[in-house]
Amino acid sequence: MLTATLTQGHRIASGLAQDPRFPDGTLALQFPLFQEHGLDLAARGLHPATLNLSIAPLTWKPLAPAHTFRQLAWTDHFPPEDFSFFDCQLTPPHTDTPLDALIYYPHPDTKPPDHPQSPSTLEVLAPKLKNIAYGDTFQIHLPPSQIEITNPPNANP
């Protein structure tokens, strides 16, 4: 179990960035494609926006995703991308009830370069949550068979 802090992301996944290319957000376009390939995120009750959770100074790297989709052409604005998903359980602030969630991972080697992500940030798809704010802390359980957590050499133990 790790403690993670809610941070502001690029806001393009949710549509809050008001990017005219993706007025409803990138996930609104991607959810149907993931469903076509066998992962129905809406049926799992996951909201089409990501929670950007920082585990800094720790970092993470993928090992064995629960789902991977290669070369998905989800928009005319970017080349096809690879996406992976990792199981997790998320306990929001002000509750002791863990929720099933997924780590959303657009592969950096196929992701557009204008939206980089820190290796200390987990993009989490979860049910829609109320009464949360940037800076809130969450508890997150990540399966060690799917994700490796590392302590960078320059970080304190």
Side-chain angles (χ1 to χ4, degrees):
M1 187 83 64
L2 292 173
T3 298
T5 304
L6 183 63
T7 60
Q8 184 172 321
H10 300 291
R11 301 173 68 132
I12 193 165
S14 65
L16 294 175
Q18 298 180 348
D19 185 321
R21 299 171 298 177
F22 315 110
D24 295 322
T26 58
L27 285 170
L29 297 171
Q30 295 168 1
F31 266 40
L33 289 175
F34 299 142
Q35 181 181 3
E36 286 175 22
H37 287 82
L39 180 59
D40 191 342
L41 299 169
R44 289 181 177 220
L46 302 180
H47 183 62
T50 58
L51 298 169
N52 287 267
L53 298 178
S54 173
I55 58 171
L58 301 175
T59 60
W60 76 282
K61 64 181 183 179
L63 294 177
H67 307 274
T68 297
F69 306 110
R70 302 232 180 252
Q71 294 298 292
L72 286 186
W74 63 273
T75 178
D76 293 337
H77 299 287
F78 303 127
E81 289 183 68
D82 297 344
F83 297 89
S84 289
F85 296 86
F86 303 85
D87 298 318
C88 70
Q89 282 199 316
L90 183 69
T91 305
H94 319 299
T95 181
D96 293 329
T97 306
L99 304 170
D100 288 331
L102 289 173
I103 306 297
Y104 165 80
Y105 182 66
H107 291 218
D109 56 331
T110 62
K111 184 177 179 175
D114 56 339
H115 299 110
Q117 199 61 271
S118 163
S120 292
T121 298
L122 298 162
E123 289 188 84
V124 178
L125 293 170
K128 186 169 176 106
L129 301 174
K130 296 180 182 179
N131 303 320
I132 58 171
Y134 297 127
D136 282 352
T137 56
F138 289 70
Q139 297 299 312
I140 188 163
H141 179 268
L142 306 167
S145 62
Q146 292 183 22
I147 292 175
E148 180 180 357
I149 302 298
T150 58
N151 197 5
N154 59 348
N156 294 329

